[in-house]
């Protein structure tokens, strides 16, 4: 009797899309998945999904459906021991890569980005990060 080992090759899209969807990614029929990567590690796994949208309108709709918002940095500043005021930095205004983020209550993060100079901003990088 001989045993033949089986090698299972899971499609990385199975894991990456499932996790990104769990974090809020909502694709429509106008969105095409180009490729996927899944990095399984302890304690933080992550998946990357490349999505091509049909137009700027479908891209904006995907961002809205997925519940992500513009990446912002906020901090409080006091000048000459005066009252504190909030300062906000919007990195999207300073670079061609536009980044949108949603953080789940457990700390996991959905990050969707695109570059206006690459494929007219219609190719999105979706990262689902488990922390």
């Amino acid at each position: 009797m001989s045993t033949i080992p089986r090698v299972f090759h899971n499609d990385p899209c199975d894991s990456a899309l499932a996790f990104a969807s769990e974090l809020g990614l909502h694709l429509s029929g106008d969105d095409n998945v180009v490729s996927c990567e899944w990095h399984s590690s302890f304690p933080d796994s992550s998946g990357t999904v490349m999505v091509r949208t049909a137009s700027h309108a479908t891209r904006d709709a995907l961002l809205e459906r997925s519940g992500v918002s513009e990446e912002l940095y906020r901090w409080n500043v006091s000048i000459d021991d005066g009252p504190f005021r909030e300062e906000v930095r919007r990195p999207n205004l300073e670079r061609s890569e536009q980044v949108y983020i949603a953080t789940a209550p457990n700390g996991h993060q959905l990050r969707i980005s695109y570059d206006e100079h690459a494929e007219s901003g219609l190719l999105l990088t979706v990262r689902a990060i488990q922390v």
Side-chain angles (χ1 to χ4, degrees), residues 12-13 16-17 35-39 46-50 125-128:
C13 282
L17 275 172
S35 65
C36 301
E37 292 179 13
W38 179 252
H39 305 282
S46 67
T48 302
V49 180
M50 299 300 292
T125 302
V126 178
R127 294 206 21 119

Side-chain angles (χ1 to χ4, degrees), residues 15-66:
S15 300
L17 275 172
F19 187 47
S21 296
E22 184 180 309
L23 293 178
L25 177 67
H26 292 285
L27 299 176
S28 74
D30 294 325
D31 306 318
N32 295 312
V33 173
V34 176
S35 65
C36 301
E37 292 179 13
W38 179 252
H39 305 282
S40 182
S41 62
F42 182 80
D44 51 349
S45 297
S46 67
T48 302
V49 180
M50 299 300 292
V51 176
R52 184 170 289 115
T53 58
S55 67
H56 291 152
T58 57
R59 178 192 67 204
D60 294 344
L62 181 146
L63 294 171
E64 187 173 328
R65 281 191 313 272
S66 299

Side-chain angles (χ1 to χ4, degrees), residues 2-7:
S2 64
T3 304
I4 300 173
R6 279 191 185 177
V7 178

Side-chain angles (χ1 to χ4, degrees), residues 91-99 113-118 121:
N92 284 353
L93 297 176
E94 303 165 8
R95 60 185 181 207
S96 63
E97 181 189 31
Q98 303 297 290
V99 179
S113 63
Y114 61 89
D115 190 329
E116 285 290 349
H117 296 99

